[in-house]
Amino acid sequence: MAEIRLENLSKEYVNRRQRRRSRQEPNQRPGDRVLVLDRIDLEFKEGEMVCILGPSGCGKSTLLRIIAGFDRPTGGRVFIGGKEVAGPRSDSIFVFQYSGLLPWMTVAENVGLGLRHLKDSARKEDKIREYIEMVELEGFESYYPHQLSGGMQRRAELARALAVNPSLLIMDEPFSGLDFLTHMKMREEVVNMHEFLRKTTLVVTHDIDDALIMGDRIVVLSGRPATVKLQQTLDFPRPRDFERSPELSRLRSEIFLMLGVPYAV
Amino acid sequence: MKLARLHTSVSFMVLIVLWEILARFSGWSRYVFPDPLTVVAGMAELIKNGTLLKHTIASLYRVTWGFYLAIVFGIPLGILLGRVTVLHRMANPLIQFLRPISPLAWIPLSMLWFGIGDRPAIFLIFLSSFFPLTVSTTIAVRNINPTYFQVAANFNFSKFETIFRLIVPAIVPEVVTALRISVTIAWLVVVAAEMIAVQSGLGYLILDSRNALRMDYVMDGMIIIGIIGLLLDTLMKRLAKIESARWGAQAR
Ligand SMILES: Nc1ncnc2c1ncn2[C@@H]1O[C@H](COP(=O)(O)OP(=O)(O)OP(=O)(O)O)[C@@H](O)[C@H]1O
Ligand SMILES: [Mg+2]
């Protein structure tokens, strides 16, 4: 069960900046509180892939960290499958913005992290192989993360997340830092994975095209403090293409405008 | 690689030639400033009558014990201080206060507490390595990327797993570097300790030879100390290469 409900969610950080004032925020002082999330109400249905957009620094990672249980909200509550989130669980796996692979473990050891409970080592090996094959990393089982390219590292992390068979997958900018082609391939892979496994998936991205191509629904957040500015269900058939669907193009321009860019490039 | 070795031997050759020239023309007597050949002859004597071996073993024995004790106590303490902020706040000022006190300043107390023999020397070596090891381990633990702890939480690591599958492997590169530095310090300290607290070891050999006015033996002692120091450092560098090659931390 992975129906997720955010109720009135708020998050404040205590500002620990040393300098007394900054140009952007002349009224901020050390010790002041910074409101990052402002009373957010959202629902995610089971099996849905939702893409979350928003300007840089608005609190997207913070929102995901709270849903994953790494961080506590200062107000409001998060429910997953009717139960309030109290801490990190292996039932909702986080894919980190920058690599979260443990660098001293091989690809196989990393993928096996979520399978440690399996006593039968032959079955465990089989599972590890299955997920490594799913992301096409056969032959790299005994490589350390630093011996892989950026794209391969992301795929390994995806395999590690899927191997747990979590009911919720949380991805923070899973394509950041990848070159264009790798980005496209990775995106396709995530979409296929979702079509195939139908796991509830939350994807934070700053790329509007990613959100429109991938999401069953998009959520646009405003700048800090983040509030929900737009929610839109995307009922377009996949594979999606801006050329063939003027409706999608129109939406794209609208969101560009909403995020402060006057015309889509 | 070959060329680098050639350059090294050239510099040693130049040193020996300069030494020979100085010994011959400085006007000092052989007893004050022995020439290279006399020193080599003295070395041969020391090797033949077993003195050198005995003293070298005595020194290495103390360093090994002191250093192991420092590892056994320093690294776990460092991990604890790195993870438990309250303990860190309490213990860190104390450690920072004790650290700059030279281990040699502890000689009077350690002789009083442990008497004469190996134990005060081992205690001094322990002190010299314990503080740097503890401090470096603490810093290394505090610098572990917090993402890894979130991964550990996400995958339900037990306390045991967090220590042995996350913290320990994460700090290995820094700790190996710290080991390399502290073994050098330990080696410096053992010689000094042996000049005061014991009747054996390379430090004692130097002091004893000075009292007998055998400057050639003094120089032999110094040369062996230098060579062993070099070997210890090479050993540690090897260790650092093996360990960091495993997960791509820069080897220095
Ligand atoms: N631990 C913290 N302590 C204080 N302030 C924090 C902390 N973590 C985040 N913030 C602040 O909260 C705001 C939101 O941070 P967050 O990382 O969630 O943004 P983001 O939307 O993910 O940005 P980006 O798109 O650049 O990844 C930032 O202004 C940041 O300075
Ligand atoms: Mg972020």
Side-chain angles (χ1 to χ4, degrees):
Chain A
M1 274 306 285
E3 186 203 51
I4 304 161
R5 219 168 61 239
L6 314 182
E7 277 181 3
N8 225 0
L9 201 69
S10 296
K11 176 75 186 175
E12 271 180 352
Y13 281 116
V14 176
N15 192 15
R16 290 218 181 85
R17 212 197 327 265
Q18 295 301 310
R19 273 185 308 147
R20 283 188 70 82
R21 270 192 254 161
S22 78
R23 216 176 304 136
Q24 294 96 5
E25 292 149 308
N27 299 324
Q28 289 273 292
R29 294 237 178 69
D32 277 359
R33 294 171 181 284
V34 189
L35 188 61
V36 178
L37 303 176
D38 188 12
R39 281 163 295 158
I40 293 194
D41 281 303
L42 273 174
E43 273 190 41
F44 307 110
K45 289 198 277 293
E46 179 160 10
E48 195 181 27
M49 174 139 75
V50 180
C51 291
I52 300 166
L53 282 164
S56 180
C58 75
K60 306 182 291 294
S61 298
T62 305
L63 181 71
L64 291 192
R65 277 205 305 274
I66 290 172
I67 297 173
F70 295 148
D71 221 338
R72 308 283 303 150
T74 42
R77 301 199 287 178
V78 181
F79 295 93
I80 297 186
K83 276 206 288 265
E84 187 166 0
V85 171
R89 295 133 300 142
S90 54
D91 200 32
S92 38
I93 294 289
F94 202 102
V95 177
F96 288 88
Q97 184 164 2
Y98 308 102
S99 183
L101 294 172
L102 300 182
W104 48 85
M105 293 186 181
T106 62
V107 170
E109 286 169 330
N110 265 292
V111 173
L113 275 186
L115 304 166
R116 303 195 313 292
H117 58 278
L118 294 181
K119 292 280 165 287
D120 181 354
S121 69
R123 210 166 91 79
K124 192 164 143 186
E125 295 290 307
D126 279 350
K127 276 260 180 196
I128 292 176
R129 198 169 318 116
E130 178 189 334
Y131 285 97
I132 285 180
E133 273 168 23
M134 189 184 283
V135 296
E136 293 170 17
L137 281 178
E138 306 98 314
F140 296 95
E141 289 87 348
S142 56
Y143 279 52
Y144 286 94
H146 73 100
Q147 297 169 311
L148 303 178
S149 73
M152 290 156 89
Q153 289 181 17
R154 297 304 165 87
R155 296 212 301 270
E157 202 175 336
L158 190 60
R160 181 177 77 179
L162 294 175
V164 188
N165 194 19
S167 48
L168 171 62
L169 205 56
I170 301 174
M171 306 173 104
D172 193 359
E173 305 207 12
F175 316 127
S176 66
L178 299 181
D179 68 85
F180 181 75
L181 283 177
T182 317
H183 179 152
M184 291 297 135
K185 275 188 214 144
M186 242 334 253
R187 183 167 85 185
E188 200 178 310
E189 237 160 280
V190 172
V191 170
N192 289 343
M193 179 274 298
H194 182 249
E195 297 271 88
F196 184 61
L197 300 170
R198 283 280 154 208
K199 279 191 191 314
T200 315
T201 309
L202 305 182
V203 185
V204 154
T205 165
H206 53 237
D207 187 320
I208 295 168
D209 291 359
D210 282 350
L212 291 173
I213 298 277
M214 293 166 65
D216 295 320
R217 187 152 61 97
I218 55 170
V219 173
V220 181
L221 299 179
S222 70
R224 215 176 61 203
T227 52
V228 179
K229 212 169 175 187
L230 173 87
Q231 290 198 59
Q232 174 91 43
T233 305
L234 304 175
D235 272 329
F236 305 97
R238 292 192 174 95
R240 290 177 188 160
D241 189 343
F242 291 107
E243 313 267 291
R244 272 181 296 151
S245 150
E247 181 68 10
L248 205 59
S249 285
R250 205 190 46 68
L251 190 61
R252 178 171 180 257
S253 312
E254 194 180 306
I255 294 169
F256 263 106
L257 205 66
M258 192 173 283
L259 290 173
V261 185
Y263 50 87
V265 271
Chain B
M1 200 49 206
K2 274 227 175 96
L3 204 62
R5 213 165 273 174
L6 185 74
H7 291 161
T8 312
S9 42
V10 164
S11 69
F12 272 98
M13 253 132 75
V14 169
L15 180 73
I16 291 169
V17 169
L18 275 180
W19 177 6
E20 176 71 43
I21 292 173
L22 267 177
R24 228 175 255 195
F25 300 105
S26 65
W28 278 328
S29 87
R30 220 156 60 91
Y31 298 105
V32 180
F33 196 95
D35 59 286
L37 264 178
T38 313
V39 170
V40 171
M43 181 83 83
E45 280 168 41
L46 287 178
I47 293 175
K48 214 181 279 163
N49 65 22
T51 326
L52 194 63
L53 190 67
K54 189 186 89 189
H55 289 308
T56 307
I57 289 176
S59 292
L60 284 175
Y61 173 81
R62 293 175 191 132
V63 167
T64 310
W65 266 106
F67 196 55
Y68 275 147
L69 287 175
I71 291 176
V72 166
F73 287 99
I75 293 179
L77 181 66
I79 292 178
L80 196 67
L81 295 185
R83 287 305 291 161
V84 186
T85 314
V86 183
L87 283 183
H88 183 254
R89 283 212 204 104
M90 292 196 296
N92 196 46
L94 197 65
I95 289 174
Q96 299 300 348
F97 162 71
L98 290 173
R99 197 156 76 115
I101 301 174
S102 161
L104 303 182
W106 289 86
I107 288 179
L109 284 180
S110 65
M111 283 175 73
L112 203 63
W113 293 341
F114 298 108
I116 295 239
D118 282 335
R119 283 190 299 168
I122 291 175
F123 177 65
L124 293 180
I125 294 152
F126 167 78
L127 280 181
S128 74
S129 310
F130 174 73
F131 290 118
L133 270 181
T134 309
V135 171
S136 322
T137 308
T138 307
I139 293 173
V141 170
R142 289 167 72 88
N143 280 343
I144 297 175
N145 184 345
T147 301
Y148 301 147
F149 287 103
Q150 297 189 333
V151 171
N154 213 176
F155 287 91
N156 289 336
F157 272 33
S158 62
K159 281 248 158 55
F160 181 85
E161 283 175 314
T162 309
I163 293 173
F164 290 102
R165 301 193 67 183
L166 199 171
I167 296 176
V168 170
I171 62 175
V172 160
E174 279 100 329
V175 168
V176 169
T177 309
L179 286 177
R180 198 179 142 196
I181 293 165
S182 43
V183 83
T184 313
I185 301 173
W187 189 238
L188 287 174
V189 168
V190 74
V191 173
E194 284 166 350
M195 291 189 166
I196 296 161
V198 284
Q199 305 287 309
S200 63
L202 293 169
Y204 174 73
L205 172 67
I206 289 179
L207 194 78
D208 194 42
S209 308
R210 190 208 60 178
N211 293 340
L213 291 177
R214 290 297 301 259
M215 290 310 139
D216 51 341
Y217 287 174
V218 170
M219 286 192 172
D220 290 328
M222 291 168 66
I223 290 170
I224 293 299
I225 289 167
I227 290 174
I228 293 176
L230 213 61
L231 288 179
L232 286 177
D233 193 54
T234 315
L235 202 76
M236 284 304 188
K237 235 189 300 193
R238 284 269 162 80
L239 194 66
K241 274 211 189 98
I242 298 170
E243 276 305 327
S244 36
R246 272 188 54 207
W247 60 275
Q250 323 78 312
R252 254 166 290 173

